[in-house]
Amino acid sequence: MKLFCGIDWAESHHDVAVDGDGLLVAKLRIDDSAEGFSKLLGLLAESGDTLDEPIPVAIETSCGLLVAALRGSGRIVYAINPMAVARYRDRHSMARKKSDRVDAMTLANILRTDAHAHRTLPSDSDLARAITVLARAAQDAIWRRPKATQELRALLREYYPGFLAAFAGSSHTNLAMPDARVILAIAPTPALGTRLTKTRIISALRKGGRQRRLDATATRIQEALRRPQLRQPLLVEEALGRQASALLATLNIECVNADDLNDAVTEAFRQHPDHRIITSFPGLGEAIGARVLAELGDDRGRCADARGLKAFAGSAPVTRASGRSTCVTHRHVKNNRLAAVGFVWAFAAIPRPGPIKDQYDRRRTHGDRYAAALRNVFNRLLGQLYHCLQANQTYDESKAFPAPSMVRNRQLLDSLR
C-alpha cells in the first residue's frame, strides 16, 4: 500500500493525515516544537515510513521550521498552493465544509492522485538558500524606501516647500539621497533652515559622505533655504517638524537596511559557483545577479526546461484559445520577484549598442509597448541563462545572437540529420 502524508499548516498547530489507498491511516495534531516534530516522525514510522522509501509529504507552505526540518530529514516535500487545495476540496463536497483535518487529508489525496502534476521543493544548497533570504530582504527594504520617501515628501510640501526646492533635481527631489537627509536632520523646520550657516552645512554634508564641491553645494543649499516662502503658524510648524523628524528616522533605517543587506548578499553571492556564469551576462551586476540566483536557486532540476523557467518568471505569454477565439496575454501568475528583477536586468542590458539593443528595437518597431519589449528581451536572456547554467558555461554573444546565415546553416544541418 502506497502511503502519502498531508500537513495542514497553521500558526499555532499543524494537522497531519496519512493516506493509504484513499483511506485515513493515521492522524495527529502537532506544533512547531522539537517534541511536535518527533511525534510526526513517530507517526510516520508507525505508518510504514522507512529510510529507503520515506513517505512523501504535502504541505501548504514552502518555508518555516517544520518545512526546514522535513527537508533536513531527507524527505520528499511538495509545497501545494492553498488555492489548489481549495479546488481539490470542492471535488468531494458541494457544501463547502472545511476543517483542518479534512484539509490535511485533501493534501495527502493530492499526492495520491496527482503527484505527477506537482513539483517537489528544489534541493538548493544552503548557500543558495541563504542568498535567497538576504536578497529578498534587501529587495523588500528597497521597495519600502520609496514609500517612506513619499510620505516624507508629502509632509514637507505642507510646510517646507523651500527644502524640496533646495534639493530638486531635474524632475523631483530625491529625499533618500544622503545630502537631503543630513540637512533635514539639523533643520526640520523653515525657521531652523534660515539660520543654518555655511560652516554647519558643510559639516553636515561631510558627515553624510560628500567629499567634492562642498563649498558650492553648501552655498546653493543656504541660498535656497533662505528664500522667502509661505509659512505655517510657529506652533504648527514646530509640530510638523517633529513629525518630519520621525518620518526621517524611518527613511534612514530603510536606507541603511537596504545598503547593509545589499552588501551582505553581494558578499555571499561572490562565494557561489554560479557567480561566474551569472555575472558574465550583460546587465547583470553582482546586486542584480544575486537577486536572479535567489529566485532561480542552484537546483538544476527545478524547471524541466527553459520554457518552464520562462513561465515561472512571467516572461512567456499565456495563450487562451476557445472555439474561434484566441487571445495571447501577459502572464499574471508568476514569481513576482523574478519578474521585477527581470525588468531591471533588461533595462540595464539594452542601452549598449549590440544584438540585445537590436532585439529591443525590433520589438518596438513590431508594435510592442515599452514594458512588452523589455519583457521580450528578458525572455530571450532568461532562456540563454538557463542554457548556460545547465552547460556550466559563460555568456557568449556570438552564440546567443548568431548571424542569420549561421542560423540558416544550423537549420539545414538539423534537417539533413
Side-chain angles (χ1 to χ4, degrees), residues 7-38:
I7 302 178
D8 181 70
W9 182 90
E11 182 176 350
S12 59
H13 63 267
H14 316 299
D15 281 85
V16 182
V18 179
D19 173 275
D21 293 337
L23 301 176
L24 179 65
V25 175
K27 63 178 182 178
L28 181 67
R29 173 169 286 187
I30 62 173
D31 54 22
D32 261 339
S33 64
E35 180 182 358
F37 185 67
S38 298

Short mmCIF file of all heavy atoms in Angstrom, two decimals, residues 7-38:
data_model
loop_
_atom_site.label_atom_id
_atom_site.label_comp_id
_atom_site.label_asym_id
_atom_site.label_seq_id
_atom_site.Cartn_x
_atom_site.Cartn_y
_atom_site.Cartn_z
N ILE A 7 -0.08 17.70 5.47
CA ILE A 7 0.02 18.53 6.68
C ILE A 7 -0.67 19.85 6.42
O ILE A 7 -0.25 20.62 5.54
CB ILE A 7 1.48 18.76 7.09
CG1 ILE A 7 2.19 17.42 7.34
CG2 ILE A 7 1.56 19.63 8.33
CD1 ILE A 7 3.66 17.58 7.71
N ASP A 8 -1.73 20.12 7.18
CA ASP A 8 -2.41 21.41 7.10
C ASP A 8 -1.68 22.37 8.04
O ASP A 8 -1.79 22.27 9.26
CB ASP A 8 -3.88 21.28 7.49
CG ASP A 8 -4.62 22.60 7.40
OD1 ASP A 8 -4.82 23.08 6.27
OD2 ASP A 8 -4.97 23.16 8.45
N TRP A 9 -0.95 23.30 7.44
CA TRP A 9 -0.09 24.20 8.20
C TRP A 9 -0.90 25.37 8.77
O TRP A 9 -1.76 25.93 8.10
CB TRP A 9 1.01 24.73 7.29
CG TRP A 9 2.00 25.62 7.97
CD1 TRP A 9 3.16 25.25 8.57
CD2 TRP A 9 1.93 27.04 8.08
NE1 TRP A 9 3.82 26.34 9.07
CE2 TRP A 9 3.08 27.47 8.78
CE3 TRP A 9 1.00 28.00 7.67
CZ2 TRP A 9 3.32 28.81 9.07
CZ3 TRP A 9 1.24 29.33 7.97
CH2 TRP A 9 2.38 29.72 8.65
N ALA A 10 -0.61 25.72 10.02
CA ALA A 10 -1.22 26.89 10.66
C ALA A 10 -0.19 27.51 11.60
O ALA A 10 0.90 26.98 11.80
CB ALA A 10 -2.49 26.50 11.43
N GLU A 11 -0.54 28.65 12.17
CA GLU A 11 0.43 29.35 13.00
C GLU A 11 0.66 28.67 14.34
O GLU A 11 1.79 28.56 14.81
CB GLU A 11 -0.04 30.79 13.24
CG GLU A 11 0.94 31.63 14.06
CD GLU A 11 0.48 33.07 14.19
OE1 GLU A 11 -0.48 33.46 13.52
OE2 GLU A 11 1.10 33.81 14.98
N SER A 12 -0.42 28.19 14.95
CA SER A 12 -0.30 27.63 16.30
C SER A 12 -0.18 26.11 16.30
O SER A 12 0.41 25.54 17.23
CB SER A 12 -1.52 28.04 17.14
OG SER A 12 -2.73 27.60 16.53
N HIS A 13 -0.73 25.43 15.28
CA HIS A 13 -0.67 23.97 15.25
C HIS A 13 -0.75 23.49 13.81
O HIS A 13 -1.11 24.26 12.91
CB HIS A 13 -1.82 23.36 16.08
CG HIS A 13 -3.18 23.70 15.54
ND1 HIS A 13 -3.91 24.79 15.98
CD2 HIS A 13 -3.94 23.11 14.57
CE1 HIS A 13 -5.05 24.86 15.32
NE2 HIS A 13 -5.10 23.85 14.45
N HIS A 14 -0.43 22.21 13.62
CA HIS A 14 -0.47 21.61 12.29
C HIS A 14 -1.19 20.27 12.39
O HIS A 14 -0.85 19.45 13.25
CB HIS A 14 0.95 21.39 11.74
CG HIS A 14 1.86 22.56 11.97
ND1 HIS A 14 1.62 23.80 11.46
CD2 HIS A 14 3.02 22.65 12.67
CE1 HIS A 14 2.60 24.63 11.83
NE2 HIS A 14 3.45 23.95 12.57
N ASP A 15 -2.17 20.05 11.50
CA ASP A 15 -2.88 18.77 11.46
C ASP A 15 -2.23 17.87 10.42
O ASP A 15 -1.97 18.28 9.29
CB ASP A 15 -4.35 19.00 11.12
CG ASP A 15 -5.15 19.46 12.32
OD1 ASP A 15 -5.16 20.68 12.59
OD2 ASP A 15 -5.73 18.60 12.99
N VAL A 16 -1.99 16.62 10.82
CA VAL A 16 -1.31 15.65 9.97
C VAL A 16 -2.26 14.51 9.66
O VAL A 16 -3.00 14.04 10.54
CB VAL A 16 -0.05 15.09 10.67
CG1 VAL A 16 0.69 14.12 9.76
CG2 VAL A 16 0.87 16.23 11.10
N ALA A 17 -2.26 14.08 8.40
CA ALA A 17 -3.08 12.94 7.99
C ALA A 17 -2.24 12.07 7.06
O ALA A 17 -1.53 12.57 6.18
CB ALA A 17 -4.35 13.39 7.29
N VAL A 18 -2.31 10.77 7.26
CA VAL A 18 -1.61 9.79 6.41
C VAL A 18 -2.65 9.04 5.62
O VAL A 18 -3.58 8.46 6.18
CB VAL A 18 -0.73 8.84 7.23
CG1 VAL A 18 -0.05 7.82 6.32
CG2 VAL A 18 0.30 9.62 8.04
N ASP A 19 -2.50 9.04 4.28
CA ASP A 19 -3.46 8.42 3.38
C ASP A 19 -2.87 7.14 2.81
O ASP A 19 -1.70 7.11 2.41
CB ASP A 19 -3.80 9.40 2.24
CG ASP A 19 -4.66 8.76 1.16
OD1 ASP A 19 -4.07 8.11 0.26
OD2 ASP A 19 -5.87 8.90 1.23
N GLY A 20 -3.71 6.11 2.74
CA GLY A 20 -3.32 4.85 2.10
C GLY A 20 -4.46 4.33 1.26
O GLY A 20 -5.51 3.96 1.81
N ASP A 21 -4.32 4.36 -0.05
CA ASP A 21 -5.36 3.91 -0.98
C ASP A 21 -6.68 4.66 -0.75
O ASP A 21 -7.78 4.08 -0.84
CB ASP A 21 -5.61 2.40 -0.83
CG ASP A 21 -4.40 1.59 -1.30
OD1 ASP A 21 -3.61 2.12 -2.11
OD2 ASP A 21 -4.26 0.44 -0.85
N GLY A 22 -6.58 5.96 -0.44
CA GLY A 22 -7.78 6.76 -0.26
C GLY A 22 -8.39 6.67 1.11
O GLY A 22 -9.45 7.29 1.36
N LEU A 23 -7.80 5.93 2.03
CA LEU A 23 -8.32 5.78 3.39
C LEU A 23 -7.40 6.44 4.39
O LEU A 23 -6.18 6.47 4.21
CB LEU A 23 -8.49 4.30 3.73
CG LEU A 23 -9.43 3.50 2.82
CD1 LEU A 23 -9.41 2.03 3.23
CD2 LEU A 23 -10.85 4.06 2.88
N LEU A 24 -7.98 6.97 5.45
CA LEU A 24 -7.20 7.60 6.51
C LEU A 24 -6.51 6.53 7.34
O LEU A 24 -7.17 5.71 7.99
CB LEU A 24 -8.10 8.47 7.39
CG LEU A 24 -7.42 9.17 8.56
CD1 LEU A 24 -6.40 10.20 8.05
CD2 LEU A 24 -8.45 9.87 9.45
N VAL A 25 -5.17 6.54 7.31
CA VAL A 25 -4.41 5.55 8.06
C VAL A 25 -4.09 6.04 9.47
O VAL A 25 -4.18 5.29 10.44
CB VAL A 25 -3.10 5.22 7.30
CG1 VAL A 25 -2.22 4.28 8.12
CG2 VAL A 25 -3.42 4.62 5.94
N ALA A 26 -3.72 7.33 9.58
CA ALA A 26 -3.38 7.88 10.89
C ALA A 26 -3.55 9.39 10.83
O ALA A 26 -3.50 10.01 9.76
CB ALA A 26 -1.94 7.52 11.28
N LYS A 27 -3.78 9.98 11.98
CA LYS A 27 -3.90 11.43 12.06
C LYS A 27 -3.27 11.90 13.37
O LYS A 27 -3.14 11.15 14.34
CB LYS A 27 -5.35 11.88 11.98
CG LYS A 27 -6.23 11.39 13.12
CD LYS A 27 -7.65 11.90 12.99
CE LYS A 27 -8.50 11.43 14.18
NZ LYS A 27 -9.91 11.95 14.09
N LEU A 28 -2.89 13.22 13.38
CA LEU A 28 -2.19 13.76 14.54
C LEU A 28 -2.22 15.27 14.45
O LEU A 28 -2.30 15.84 13.35
CB LEU A 28 -0.74 13.25 14.57
CG LEU A 28 0.15 13.70 15.74
CD1 LEU A 28 -0.36 13.08 17.05
CD2 LEU A 28 1.60 13.28 15.49
N ARG A 29 -2.16 15.94 15.60
CA ARG A 29 -2.01 17.39 15.65
C ARG A 29 -0.72 17.72 16.41
O ARG A 29 -0.52 17.24 17.52
CB ARG A 29 -3.21 18.05 16.34
CG ARG A 29 -3.04 19.55 16.57
CD ARG A 29 -4.32 20.22 17.00
NE ARG A 29 -5.25 20.35 15.86
CZ ARG A 29 -6.40 21.02 15.93
NH1 ARG A 29 -6.77 21.61 17.06
NH2 ARG A 29 -7.19 21.10 14.87
N ILE A 30 0.14 18.52 15.78
CA ILE A 30 1.45 18.84 16.36
C ILE A 30 1.64 20.35 16.33
O ILE A 30 0.85 21.10 15.74
CB ILE A 30 2.60 18.15 15.59
CG1 ILE A 30 2.62 18.65 14.13
CG2 ILE A 30 2.45 16.64 15.64
CD1 ILE A 30 3.81 18.16 13.34
N ASP A 31 2.74 20.80 16.97
CA ASP A 31 3.12 22.21 16.91
C ASP A 31 4.52 22.30 16.32
O ASP A 31 5.10 21.32 15.85
CB ASP A 31 3.06 22.86 18.30
CG ASP A 31 3.87 22.09 19.34
OD1 ASP A 31 4.80 21.35 18.94
OD2 ASP A 31 3.59 22.23 20.55
N ASP A 32 5.12 23.52 16.36
CA ASP A 32 6.42 23.74 15.74
C ASP A 32 7.59 23.40 16.64
O ASP A 32 8.73 23.74 16.32
CB ASP A 32 6.54 25.22 15.32
CG ASP A 32 6.24 25.40 13.84
OD1 ASP A 32 6.35 24.41 13.10
OD2 ASP A 32 5.89 26.52 13.43
N SER A 33 7.34 22.74 17.76
CA SER A 33 8.41 22.42 18.69
C SER A 33 9.14 21.15 18.25
O SER A 33 8.69 20.41 17.37
CB SER A 33 7.84 22.22 20.10
OG SER A 33 6.97 21.09 20.13
N ALA A 34 10.30 20.91 18.88
CA ALA A 34 11.05 19.69 18.60
C ALA A 34 10.25 18.46 19.01
O ALA A 34 10.31 17.41 18.33
CB ALA A 34 12.39 19.72 19.34
N GLU A 35 9.49 18.60 20.09
CA GLU A 35 8.64 17.47 20.52
C GLU A 35 7.57 17.15 19.48
O GLU A 35 7.28 16.00 19.19
CB GLU A 35 8.00 17.81 21.86
CG GLU A 35 7.10 16.71 22.41
CD GLU A 35 6.43 17.09 23.71
OE1 GLU A 35 6.70 18.22 24.20
OE2 GLU A 35 5.64 16.29 24.23
N GLY A 36 6.99 18.22 18.90
CA GLY A 36 5.98 18.01 17.87
C GLY A 36 6.55 17.32 16.65
O GLY A 36 5.91 16.43 16.06
N PHE A 37 7.75 17.70 16.25
CA PHE A 37 8.36 17.05 15.09
C PHE A 37 8.70 15.60 15.39
O PHE A 37 8.58 14.73 14.52
CB PHE A 37 9.61 17.81 14.67
CG PHE A 37 10.24 17.30 13.41
CD1 PHE A 37 9.59 17.43 12.19
CD2 PHE A 37 11.47 16.67 13.43
CE1 PHE A 37 10.15 16.95 11.02
CE2 PHE A 37 12.05 16.19 12.26
CZ PHE A 37 11.38 16.34 11.05
N SER A 38 9.13 15.32 16.61
CA SER A 38 9.40 13.93 17.00
C SER A 38 8.12 13.09 16.93
O SER A 38 8.14 11.93 16.50
CB SER A 38 9.99 13.89 18.40
OG SER A 38 11.22 14.57 18.46
#
